[in-house]
Amino acid sequence: DNWKLIAGPDGGGIGSKFVEEPKFTTLAQLYDLGNDIAEQNNLYEQNPKLAAEMLSILEKLVKDGIHRVVNGL
C-alpha cells in the first residue's frame, strides 16, 4: 500500500504560503499515492477506518517523541 496521511486540512509544507481558508474541511488528508501521485484526491472521507488507524499511529509516534516518519519509520 502507498497511502500518505497529512494531519491537518492543508499542506503547510516548506515554502507554502499562509492560507486563510484551508483547502479541505476534513481533519486530515489521505492520498493513495499508487493511483494519485499528484495528491489531487483526498480520500479521507471515503476511508475513515484507515485514516483513523493512521492518525492513531501518528499520535503515538508524536507522543513517543518521534516527529517525522520517513520511509515507513
Side-chain angles (χ1 to χ4, degrees):
D1 293 332
N2 292 308
W3 292 97
K4 177 179 178 179
L5 177 81
I6 300 173
D10 225 335
I14 295 173
S16 66
K17 296 179 181 176
F18 175 76
V19 178
E20 288 188 30
E21 293 294 324
K23 185 175 179 181
F24 300 105
T25 57
T26 58
L27 175 67
Q29 299 165 62
L30 182 66
Y31 299 100
D32 178 0
L33 298 181
N35 294 309
D36 181 21
I37 194 68
E39 300 175 16
Q40 297 296 306
N41 300 302
N42 182 3
L43 300 175
Y44 179 85
E45 291 180 335
Q46 290 85 355
N47 295 281
K49 197 178 221 182
L50 176 61
E53 289 174 18
M54 292 180 77
L55 280 169
S56 178
I57 292 168
L58 178 61
E59 288 171 0
K60 182 180 181 334
L61 290 170
V62 170
K63 181 180 175 187
D64 291 346
I66 301 170
H67 298 283
R68 183 177 177 131
V69 178
V70 179
N71 294 328
L73 283 183

